[in-house]
Amino acid sequence: MGAQGGLTKITKSFFVVIIALIAMTSGSKVFSSTEIISVLVGDEEYVIITEKGKLRGPPVILQPGEYRINPDVSSVHRYSKGVLELKGNSEAISKDKLIVMVDTKVKWRIIDPLEFFSVFMSEQRLNDNLNAATTHILRGFVNDHSSCELFQINHQENEVTLRHEVNNKFVASYLEKAKSMFSDKGVEISSIRFNGTLKDLHKQRVLQKCKK
């Protein structure tokens, strides 16, 4: 009995040691996740750091260099200082009820990163908003014009192309509206390229109804 009792005590002690080691190992893993890490900020980007969802600072907008953060409580938000591009395509209906297929290419950049962060937080969210605004402005413009006003006809070549003056008019109208919509949100809209085409069926209708 004495030997068995001693063996039982040793076994229990062994399991206690194992459990303690497991607890220590688990504790070390939790501790390692809170280690301070380095964040590098380049010349061509804006970087904002938040801690538990709130802006950290000063400075709120970091200058180029190296910074130390705790990744468990801090998040890094990076934005390009360069000109970015948003491509889109949509359909719009002319005043005479023809479907116009339109491709757009909008160029924009961040001019106030703090305002941009407070409104959009991410470039993807800005792109979603900008795409929706572009589509809205575009459809309103096309809807105000007939197909003969929008397109130039070349009967010899059997071609229908967007009128140059229409392109210029749309670009001017778009930039005026888009700038008023986004300038107070930390974004500058610098340019837009706009091209409209017609489906083959509608193209033939325009060739027949429009003189030039």
Side-chain angles (χ1 to χ4, degrees):
M1 291 294 291
Q4 290 181 348
L7 183 60
T8 301
K9 290 180 179 180
I10 293 173
T11 303
K12 288 181 178 179
S13 298
F14 176 75
F15 280 115
V16 168
V17 171
I18 293 298
I19 292 171
L21 287 172
I22 292 173
M24 290 174 63
T25 303
S26 300
S28 65
K29 287 182 179 179
V30 172
F31 176 77
S32 65
S33 69
T34 61
E35 290 180 355
I36 303 301
I37 64 171
S38 294
V39 173
L40 296 177
V41 178
D43 294 327
E44 301 302 317
E45 62 181 347
Y46 299 112
V47 175
I48 294 174
I49 294 179
T50 55
E51 290 184 349
K52 295 182 179 180
K54 297 182 179 181
L55 292 172
R56 190 185 83 166
V60 175
I61 303 168
L62 302 183
Q63 297 298 313
E66 182 177 359
Y67 299 83
R68 310 282 285 176
I69 69 166
N70 180 342
D72 280 355
V73 297
S74 299
S75 298
V76 181
H77 307 270
R78 298 180 183 271
Y79 307 116
S80 172
K81 289 183 179 180
V83 176
L84 302 176
E85 190 175 85
L86 174 65
K87 295 181 180 180
N89 55 78
S90 59
E91 293 184 349
I93 301 177
S94 66
K95 186 187 291 185
D96 50 346
K97 308 303 179 186
L98 296 188
I99 297 175
V100 181
M101 298 175 292
V102 182
D103 296 322
T104 54
K105 187 183 294 184
V106 182
K107 290 187 176 181
W108 63 276
R109 69 185 183 95
I110 298 172
I111 55 175
D112 186 336
L114 192 56
E115 189 65 33
F116 179 89
F117 172 82
S118 66
V119 177
F120 300 109
M121 189 170 286
S122 70
E123 291 174 2
Q124 182 57 54
R125 188 173 177 188
L126 177 277
N127 281 332
D128 292 341
N129 280 262
L130 182 55
N131 185 62
T134 300
T135 300
H136 175 74
I137 296 171
L138 172 67
R139 287 177 174 171
F141 179 86
V142 172
N143 189 247
D144 286 340
H145 296 77
S146 69
S147 56
C148 293
E149 292 173 326
L150 292 169
F151 294 97
Q152 181 172 310
I153 311 303
N154 185 331
H155 288 285
Q156 290 183 341
E157 301 293 336
N158 203 37
E159 289 184 349
V160 177
T161 56
L162 190 70
R163 293 182 184 275
H164 183 69
E165 61 270 23
V166 168
N167 193 316
N168 292 342
K169 182 179 178 181
F170 171 74
V171 169
S173 174
Y174 174 85
L175 290 177
E176 180 183 1
K177 293 177 181 178
K179 286 180 178 180
S180 67
M181 294 169 67
F182 290 94
S183 61
D184 62 343
K185 299 176 177 62
V187 176
E188 177 186 71
I189 310 297
S190 56
S191 68
I192 181 171
R193 292 181 63 184
F194 161 70
N195 184 48
T197 58
L198 290 165
K199 293 182 178 180
D200 288 340
L201 176 62
H202 288 176
K203 176 181 175 181
Q204 293 305 316
R205 289 174 59 182
V206 171
L207 285 168
Q208 292 172 9
K209 71 180 290 188
C210 302
K211 293 183 180 180
K212 60 180 181 177

